[in-house]
Amino acid sequence: MLNNKWMTAALLLLSLSVRAEDTAPAVSGGDAATQLDSIQIKAVADTPATPPNVPSTVESFTSRQIRESVNSVSSAGALLYVPGVHVRERFIGDVNGGLAIRMYGVNSSAETIVYADGLLLSNFLNNSCCPGPRWSMVPQSSIDRVDVMYGPFSALYPGNSVGGVVLMSTSMPEKFEAHASLDTFGENFKLYGTDKDFYGVHGVAMAGDKAGDFSFWVNADHLDNHSHPTDFTPATAKAGVPAAAGQFTVVTGAYYDKDIANNTRLNTAAISADHTIKDDVTMKLAYDITPSLRATYTLDVWQNDSNKAVDSYLRDAAGNVIYGSTNVAGPFRYLRIDGKDYSVTAPSVSLTQSLYHMHGLSLKTSTDGTWDWELIASYFNQDKDEVRASSGNFGRTASDAATAGTLTYGDGTGWHNLDLRGEWRPDGNLKSEHQVSLGYHTDRYVTKSTQFNLVSGVNFQSSATNTLNTNSRGVTTTDAIYLQDAWQIAPSLKLVVGGREEKWDATNGSNFANNTNVTYPDKTVYAFSPKASLSIRLSDDWELRNSYGRGVRFPTVNELFKNVGITQVGGAAATPAQIAGFPAPYNVALTNNPNLKPETADSWEFALERQLNNGLWRTSLFGEQKQDALVSQTDLTTIPGFSISSVQNIDKVRTYGLETALQESNILVHGFDLSGSITYVHTEIEKDVANPGLAGTKLPLIPVLRATLLGVYHASDALSYSLGWRYSGREHSGLFNTTTHQYPDPNPGVYGGRSNFSVFDAKVLYKLADRWSASVGVDNITNEKYFTLYPYSQRTYYASAKFDY
């Protein structure tokens, strides 16, 4: 168990480490600077190299590879061709860019971790795509390299690493340098009644210098982009007899298709076309207190104004735009389309204003001697987070003129983290037979969400708040200690073994809905996670690594406490009377679960690596056995005759897969680099007490197959060409339906589905002069229409110019 004694021990560790550092030889550089067992990495090599003492597979992508092959302007684009990895970036500037790694899909934000120089970018307030990691807080142009470590095999990272850990690293300048770039991009998007060009611009200015022991860099990043619509409004057919005279309006312009269940669908409007204006300023300061001790401070301020517009396809006989129907008697009670009557929910417009800031502080020694230590702390807070949404409108009144709606505040939501770590080498150098990592971690996550109804009769864009609609409150904290030893048993044999002890608390949980407030009791959970990895060098060219690790992923504050309304009771829409008849807390229409247990994954990997003349070929067999998996499903056992859908614990889930990846330079011809990967995953629910019929079926959002292929040809020192291919196979949108005995998406390749895709990208990079370079590129060359519920970008063109001093 963790208590104040562990805090005392951690502080004692720091004290001892400081004294050890004072007497250690002042050695700088060396392999330790690229060691993944340190949170902060400093690496500027042009070719990836697996850092030492890592207990699992690592794939890397360098700044040179990013410049030569990636068109995307976000830091998430750096992961585009990493094996088994995908980011749900639907358009440029998407804040909901969920990360998928191997056995975990894009809605598993709490089951993968993203760090930048040790600062946490992942958002563990929820386990979803939305929002994704704070990618924009790291300028892509500042990234030296990205390392992806698969699975929960290192004791240095929390149980959120069950999917993997992404470590982005930057470096401080050694002399004055300045960089500026301008990117433009655009696409022609065609779907249903939308056929329109969407454009954007992105600019970056960065400067840094070093004077004596002090160094700094400042980066300003601006994005102004009009995205394609990501959502569409369907119509609902009227049951029974046709509407009476005077109770309908004849309209045209709707578009028919089939939904994911192969039912005929009528689409009436495009919505959520996001005009986003983002400004991100990052300042990083470093001071070398001694030749081997550096203090670094990072400040990031991020603001975003987002205006999600709508475009109704419907027109009346006079050519007027019709936005929707109403439940009030009159000519817009129904809309008649091709002789049939429909109810059409008016598309909603929303306005978002956000201002976030992050602070990071680190103290780190680099003696490469007997002791090194590091302290790193980060703090993230949503100073302003306001979403003003209209309730839509009906008839000829545009949605942005709506006189009712809601205003949701997320101000004060955020987290802070502290890590204190020591590295002990008994032999006093990097070749020590034992290299021991030990440390202490603590974090705190706070959710604050409050939604008000707006005063009716006033335009929603300026209306004041009226009554409280819902709110959610809650806090989770984790304290952990860990120990890991990398033991070089023999020249060809290395054992990395460790463990992580964690104490997790959920406190101050409450909800308000339907004029009722519900509070939840506090809870505490303890967990221990063992880790072990054995690497065997079979020959100069072959190495085998066997890894095991347990990852314990605790529920997020939103899974525990966020308001979620009951939508179905016994397979039909819930009525107010049914909701009122539910036992507490469900009688206030809440389906969050404050009693969730953590999910526990016992993971393993067998990796065989072959060193090539100019590269590396790896094949991995991997898998996990998970207990109490946290999945949104329907509980058939809560109340006789009723069912409730929410995030619940599924008793047992088994997943396994196979991956092969290749990176090689100067293949076939000098200057041609080739990399590629194929990842196969199979997942199956083995036991589910709450919904027994799901046993033997698959988890959703995990594609059976992913693949990448990237070729880069260096025609000269100044000119390079790249062509890349990304593939994702079949994945289901939801769990198996035990009533219909099929998955919900027999027709996945449409809006609302999770389609497979095969996408080609190209880029040409040319160095114009000593300090100038330019590039042109295109993503999705074949203009494939593919979906992750919402449509991804169609064929998109890029042009960029960059100045480096």
Side-chain angles (χ1 to χ4, degrees):
M1 294 184 179
L2 294 173
N3 51 36
N4 291 334
K5 291 187 293 185
W6 294 119
M7 178 68 80
T8 304
L11 294 174
L12 179 60
L13 165 65
L14 174 60
S15 175
L16 293 173
S17 301
V18 171
R19 289 198 293 271
E21 191 272 338
D22 288 340
T23 60
V27 181
S28 60
D31 291 339
T34 60
Q35 191 169 306
L36 268 182
D37 283 355
S38 250
I39 286 184
Q40 184 169 343
I41 308 170
K42 178 163 174 152
V44 294
D46 279 337
T47 56
T50 301
N53 301 332
V54 177
S56 64
T57 295
V58 175
E59 290 284 350
S60 303
F61 214 65
T62 67
S63 59
R64 179 181 177 182
Q65 292 172 302
I66 297 170
R67 290 194 307 271
E68 293 175 342
S69 61
V70 173
N71 292 310
S72 169
V73 299
S74 77
S75 59
L79 298 168
L80 210 57
Y81 295 103
V82 176
V85 175
H86 173 67
V87 178
R88 176 188 179 267
E89 197 171 30
R90 300 165 299 168
F91 56 88
I92 298 166
D94 188 1
V95 297
N96 295 325
L99 171 66
I101 300 181
R102 276 188 180 170
M103 300 178 289
Y104 289 84
V106 294
N107 277 19
S108 298
S109 60
E111 293 162 315
T112 58
I113 308 179
V114 181
Y115 292 105
D117 294 330
L119 302 182
L120 180 69
L121 302 187
S122 292
N123 188 332
F124 296 152
L125 297 166
N126 198 7
N127 187 43
S128 173
C129 61
C130 315
R134 298 299 175 185
W135 301 109
S136 60
M137 291 189 170
V138 179
Q140 187 194 96
S141 56
S142 70
I143 297 174
D144 286 333
R145 63 182 284 151
V146 174
D147 294 285
V148 177
M149 184 170 65
Y150 300 88
F153 303 114
S154 174
L156 280 61
Y157 301 101
N160 304 92
S161 63
V162 286
V165 182
V166 175
L167 299 168
M168 294 188 287
S169 59
T170 67
S171 61
M172 299 302 296
E174 296 297 323
K175 60 181 180 179
F176 177 76
E177 58 182 79
H179 311 274
S181 63
L182 180 65
D183 311 295
T184 61
F185 33 83
E187 66 168 325
N188 176 256
F189 183 86
K190 295 182 180 180
L191 188 63
Y192 306 130
T194 302
D195 183 355
K196 186 178 178 181
D197 295 327
F198 296 92
Y199 297 100
V201 62
H202 173 247
V204 178
M206 179 179 177
D209 198 1
K210 184 175 184 180
D213 296 325
F214 175 77
S215 57
F216 76 93
W217 62 257
V218 178
N219 185 91
D221 189 294
H222 176 77
L223 173 69
D224 188 335
N225 185 44
H226 292 264
S227 84
H228 60 259
T230 60
D231 217 338
F232 300 86
T233 301
T236 303
K238 179 183 181 298
V241 299
Q247 299 300 307
F248 66 87
T249 296
V250 176
V251 297
T252 59
Y255 287 79
Y256 292 91
D257 75 339
K258 297 284 189 179
D259 64 14
I260 64 172
N262 262 328
N263 298 317
T264 299
R265 177 172 57 188
L266 198 61
N267 299 285
T268 61
I271 63 178
S272 298
D274 191 353
H275 178 202
T276 183
I277 300 176
K278 295 180 185 174
D279 291 290
D280 187 41
V281 177
T282 306
M283 177 181 67
K284 192 171 181 180
L285 311 174
Y287 180 69
D288 295 326
I289 301 171
T290 71
S292 58
L293 174 61
R294 169 172 286 188
T296 306
Y297 170 71
T298 303
L299 170 65
D300 183 273
V301 180
W302 179 87
Q303 78 83 32
N304 177 37
D305 290 334
S306 171
N307 182 351
K308 291 189 168 90
V310 305
D311 179 19
S312 177
Y313 302 147
L314 302 179
R315 302 292 186 272
D316 64 12
N320 298 306
V321 178
I322 303 299
Y323 288 90
S325 62
T326 177
N327 57 6
V328 178
F332 295 109
R333 179 65 183 88
Y334 295 99
L335 300 181
R336 182 161 290 182
I337 303 171
D338 294 334
K340 295 182 180 181
D341 296 327
Y342 294 87
S343 296
V344 176
T345 301
S348 174
V349 173
S350 67
L351 309 172
T352 300
Q353 291 186 323
S354 304
L355 177 64
Y356 303 161
H357 75 264
M358 175 179 280
H359 298 274
L361 177 65
S362 71
L363 292 169
K364 179 180 174 65
T365 66
S366 300
T367 67
D368 297 345
T370 303
W371 274 101
D372 273 312
W373 60 269
E374 178 180 22
L375 183 151
I376 187 162
S378 62
Y379 172 81
F380 172 84
N381 187 64
Q382 297 178 182
D383 298 286
K384 181 179 183 181
D385 191 276
E386 299 179 5
V387 181
R388 189 178 285 265
S390 75
S391 60
N393 229 320
F394 66 93
R396 301 182 185 91
T397 305
S399 295
D400 57 8
T403 56
T406 59
L407 178 57
T408 303
Y409 293 98
D411 304 16
T413 294
W415 64 80
H416 64 246
N417 292 265
L418 172 67
D419 276 276
L420 176 62
R421 177 171 304 158
E423 298 286 337
W424 178 47
R425 310 175 189 95
D427 296 342
N429 56 61
L430 292 175
K431 296 182 180 181
S432 179
E433 182 179 298
H434 290 271
Q435 299 195 32
V436 179
S437 303
L438 66 167
Y440 167 77
H441 166 88
T442 185
D443 61 50
R444 186 174 190 264
Y445 291 86
V446 178
T447 186
K448 294 181 180 180
S449 177
T450 304
Q451 185 179 89
F452 292 95
N453 297 308
L454 295 173
V455 174
S456 61
V458 181
N459 188 289
F460 84 99
Q461 299 183 54
S462 58
S463 177
T465 57
N466 191 2
T467 57
L468 176 63
N469 187 8
T470 63
N471 71 23
S472 302
R473 298 287 188 271
V475 178
T476 63
T477 58
T478 306
D479 294 281
I481 57 171
Y482 51 88
L483 178 69
Q484 181 168 287
D485 182 16
W487 178 19
Q488 191 72 51
I489 301 172
S492 60
L493 196 64
K494 176 178 280 189
L495 175 66
V496 181
V497 63
R500 188 179 183 95
E501 173 76 10
E502 294 173 293
K503 172 180 176 286
W504 173 82
D505 296 284
T507 59
N508 302 321
S510 67
N511 296 123
F512 177 87
N514 290 359
N515 297 315
T516 303
N517 192 69
V518 178
T519 59
Y520 303 105
D522 298 346
K523 62 184 301 184
T524 298
V525 176
Y526 295 90
F528 177 70
S529 302
K531 321 278 185 175
S533 176
L534 182 65
S535 299
I536 307 170
R537 180 158 292 281
L538 304 174
S539 68
D540 290 342
D541 298 329
W542 290 93
E543 182 172 346
L544 175 66
R545 182 175 54 254
N546 310 304
S547 302
Y548 162 80
R550 174 174 296 169
V552 179
R553 202 276 283 183
F554 298 102
T556 65
V557 285
N558 284 349
E559 287 172 320
L560 293 165
F561 306 128
K562 187 176 181 180
N563 281 318
V564 181
I566 292 176
T567 57
Q568 287 195 336
V569 179
T575 67
Q578 287 174 324
I579 292 172
F582 272 53
Y586 301 111
N587 56 4
V588 292
L590 304 179
T591 56
N592 58 291
N593 188 348
N595 299 312
L596 289 172
K597 295 180 286 186
E599 58 182 12
T600 301
D602 287 294
S603 303
W604 51 269
E605 181 185 37
F606 300 99
L608 183 64
E609 295 181 350
R610 171 74 158 90
Q611 293 288 338
L612 306 174
N613 288 335
N614 297 296
L616 180 70
W617 176 34
R618 172 185 57 81
T619 300
S620 295
L621 180 65
F622 56 86
E624 68 175 21
Q625 184 76 36
K626 183 176 286 185
Q627 311 291 325
D628 298 317
L630 290 164
V631 179
S632 180
Q633 67 160 353
T634 300
D635 187 345
L636 302 178
T637 66
T638 306
I639 303 170
F642 297 94
S643 59
I644 297 176
S645 296
S646 65
V647 175
Q648 298 163 21
N649 291 111
I650 291 182
D651 301 82
K652 292 182 181 180
V653 176
R654 181 171 61 93
T655 307
Y656 60 83
L658 180 68
E659 180 175 85
T660 187
L662 170 72
Q663 289 196 47
E664 188 164 15
S665 302
N666 298 318
I667 188 172
L668 300 179
V669 297
H670 181 75
F672 180 65
D673 300 340
L674 182 69
S675 63
S677 66
I678 300 174
T679 305
Y680 165 81
V681 174
H682 174 82
T683 181
E684 182 177 315
I685 297 172
E686 292 189 327
K687 181 181 179 182
D688 189 354
V689 171
N691 198 335
L694 291 179
T697 65
K698 297 179 180 180
L699 285 180
L701 309 184
I702 303 172
V704 174
L705 199 65
R706 281 197 183 101
T708 63
L709 189 63
L710 175 64
V712 180
Y713 176 59
H714 304 95
S716 67
D717 291 340
L719 178 63
S720 68
Y721 303 89
S722 75
L723 179 64
W725 173 64
R726 297 173 283 125
Y727 174 81
S728 183
R730 184 70 164 103
E731 61 181 292
H732 288 295
S733 300
L735 292 166
F736 187 78
N737 188 317
T738 57
T739 301
T740 62
H741 301 289
Q742 66 176 9
Y743 289 96
D745 53 351
N747 184 35
V750 296
Y751 160 66
R754 304 274 181 172
S755 58
N756 58 358
F757 59 82
S758 180
V759 176
F760 293 88
D761 312 316
K763 183 174 184 177
V764 179
L765 175 65
Y766 183 64
K767 189 174 182 179
L768 300 169
D770 184 38
R771 302 189 185 280
W772 290 91
S773 60
S775 67
V776 292
V778 56
D779 282 352
N780 193 1
I781 295 173
T782 59
N783 202 29
E784 178 156 345
K785 291 181 174 67
Y786 62 113
F787 303 86
T788 173
L789 292 183
Y790 315 98
Y792 283 100
S793 295
Q794 296 175 16
R795 184 187 296 119
T796 305
Y797 297 93
Y798 297 80
S800 301
K802 187 177 181 183
F803 173 79
D804 297 289
Y805 180 83

